[in-house]
Amino acid sequence: MKLARPLPPGSTIGILGGGQLARMLALAAARMGIDCHIYAPEVDSPAFSVSAHHTVASYTDFCALAEFAANVDAITYEFENVPGETAEFLGRRSVLAPSASVLKIAQDRLVEKTFISSLGIEVALFAAVDDERSLEKALTLIGRPSILKTRRLGYDGKGQTRIDATTGVALAWRDIGKTPAILEGFVPFETEVSIIAARGWDGALVSYDVTQNEHENHVLRRSTVPARISAAMAEEASRIAAKIIAALGYVGVIGIEMFALGNRLLVNELAPRVHNSGHWTMDGCTVSQFEQHVRAVCGWPLGSTERHSDATMTNLLGDEADEWERLSGEAGTAVHLYGKHLARPGRKMGHINRVTPRQA
Ligand code: AMP
């Protein structure tokens, strides 16, 4: 269902998923006078404690989903692996943004790369892999080094393996669990960047400044704005974002990850939701990516994406969040903690935004 008219303050939006992204969406919504109803299977979801309502149930409990849909004015999600039939079910009962058809594309790396390249946007060389034989064939086309990734359910480097000059085909195939996959040529990128963009129900389109990203052990460690890329490349990144979200008929915030190589930008991945590399907008812009997403879903005018400050966002992983007292005492540092109780190594427990006056 599409939104007929803007949702006024006092409305309730439903969010599938109860992690830190849902929590920060709920905090932004609260500031706008909008309540959130979180739907998540985990009893201790970080978003529950800052939201008006929550439901603990599985994503395939269609009775609970029907009740959830009946109690909210629009539905969105914080993660792209919502089962397809769940999104379609909710989309028939309520306003759902982004739509179930967007999820279908973003959930499958092969469909996603095919879609992006059909728009004339550059991606890494890629080929479908369904078994050892097709992996061998794909390797003759794409060469080594290359990266074998599962088509579905991969994130933060999970479900992928690098194939170097000597890596055995059988080993690589076993490494990713012998499931439908995609082989990608290795991109010797200079930097990884991303762009956060948004589109409203009326087709209005905005994007934030390009962010430069550094990963450690496949997990985002740091995002910096401004990115060290030329103005022409930054413009190209926002043209790419505009092309993708217009073609998707997208509503909401999207994160688009890219590799920068010389003066080329290759799109790696779409995240049909608010994105970790957009957390700097909470303290670097008047309207954060979280407020922007709520605005878009609720049919409000999109907000300014202007960056008023330079910023570096650093994720606090595992016990690094124990440093909250020292970090809070740093001038120009905003500390954001997610209220998670168990600090497993590598788990995203919070982030900090170090903000300085805008230089350029
Ligand atoms: P992904 O799960 O596709 O986001 O990949 C996780 C990380 O692996 C990326 O942020 C890159 O650092 C690296 N990576 C993924 N695909 C490629 C590629 N085709 N070439 C080079 N590095 C890649």
Side-chain angles (χ1 to χ4, degrees):
M1 277 164 62
K2 288 192 164 39
L3 192 72
R5 62 191 72 82
L7 296 177
S11 304
T12 302
I13 57 171
I15 303 177
L16 294 170
Q20 65 267 18
L21 299 179
R23 179 179 167 103
M24 291 184 274
L25 283 168
L27 290 169
R31 243 187 51 192
M32 300 161 66
I34 303 236
D35 284 341
C36 285
H37 185 147
I38 309 292
Y39 187 110
E42 300 85 8
V43 286
D44 57 350
S45 296
F48 289 171
S49 56
V50 301
S51 303
H53 314 281
H54 67 259
T55 298
V56 178
S58 107
Y59 293 121
T60 49
D61 179 340
F62 289 90
C63 286
L65 288 167
E67 199 181 327
F68 169 67
N71 285 315
V72 299
D73 299 298
I75 299 175
T76 187
Y77 40 87
E78 65 145 17
F79 72 117
E80 57 272 42
N81 290 318
V82 173
E85 72 267 35
T86 301
E88 276 161 17
F89 179 87
L90 293 172
R92 285 193 297 274
R93 279 168 176 72
S94 180
V95 170
L96 177 72
S99 68
S101 57
V102 165
L103 275 184
K104 261 202 187 120
I105 295 175
Q107 282 177 348
D108 183 324
R109 291 182 194 274
L110 181 63
V111 177
E112 182 179 71
K113 288 247 154 53
T114 307
F115 165 75
I116 296 166
S117 59
S118 77
L119 300 175
I121 297 166
E122 197 178 359
V123 295
L125 287 173
F126 68 95
V129 170
D130 294 309
D131 48 31
E132 256 180 70
R133 275 240 325 264
S134 57
L135 175 54
E136 258 161 34
K137 201 168 141 217
L139 277 167
T140 60
L141 282 173
I142 288 169
R144 301 168 182 243
S146 48
I147 301 193
L148 183 64
K149 302 178 178 177
T150 57
R151 283 174 62 170
R152 306 177 71 88
L153 297 174
Y155 69 98
D156 286 349
K158 294 183 179 67
Q160 59 178 271
T161 188
R162 184 175 155 137
I163 302 187
D164 287 311
T166 56
T167 311
V169 169
L171 182 74
W173 180 236
R174 208 186 56 208
D175 249 15
I176 59 144
K178 302 184 179 181
T179 53
I182 175 174
L183 184 72
E184 287 182 19
F186 183 83
V187 180
F189 57 80
E190 281 136 25
T191 49
E192 290 192 75
V193 297
S194 58
I195 188 159
I196 307 293
R199 185 170 174 275
W201 289 101
D202 59 357
L205 243 154
V206 294
S207 59
Y208 290 91
D209 283 0
V210 175
T211 308
Q212 185 158 338
N213 303 320
E214 293 161 57
H215 294 82
E216 276 172 22
N217 304 320
H218 297 286
V219 174
L220 183 66
R221 162 56 76 184
R222 204 167 292 106
S223 289
T224 308
V225 271
R228 283 191 304 275
I229 59 170
S230 67
M233 275 176 88
E235 266 170 42
E236 177 61 11
S238 66
R239 265 198 300 275
I240 288 172
K243 217 180 206 178
I244 290 173
I245 60 178
L248 290 171
Y250 197 86
V251 174
V253 162
I254 190 170
I256 304 177
E257 295 178 32
M258 305 179 193
F259 300 131
L261 176 62
N263 58 4
R264 291 157 62 201
L265 284 172
L266 290 81
V267 171
N268 178 39
E269 196 167 34
L270 309 180
R273 52 173 168 80
V274 286
H275 191 254
N276 195 168
S277 70
H279 290 1
W280 66 271
T281 61
M282 299 173 90
D283 300 295
C285 298
T286 309
V287 175
S288 74
Q289 63 163 348
F290 299 101
E291 177 173 338
Q292 198 72 268
H293 187 69
V294 178
R295 283 177 179 238
V297 170
C298 295
W300 288 29
L302 297 184
S304 163
T305 52
E306 197 183 331
R307 175 172 57 83
H308 56 64
S309 300
D310 292 348
T312 298
M313 187 285 314
T314 307
N315 275 329
L316 300 175
L317 305 174
D319 59 13
E320 289 165 7
D322 295 347
E323 294 291 310
W324 56 269
E325 197 171 358
R326 179 181 61 75
L327 293 166
S328 311
E330 270 184 19
T333 296
V335 180
H336 300 266
L337 299 172
Y338 306 151
K340 296 181 182 176
H341 303 302
L342 195 63
R344 279 193 303 274
R347 190 178 192 203
K348 292 175 182 170
M349 301 298 289
H351 69 271
I352 51 169
N353 284 330
R354 292 198 169 102
V355 178
T356 51
R358 182 175 172 151
Q359 296 296 309

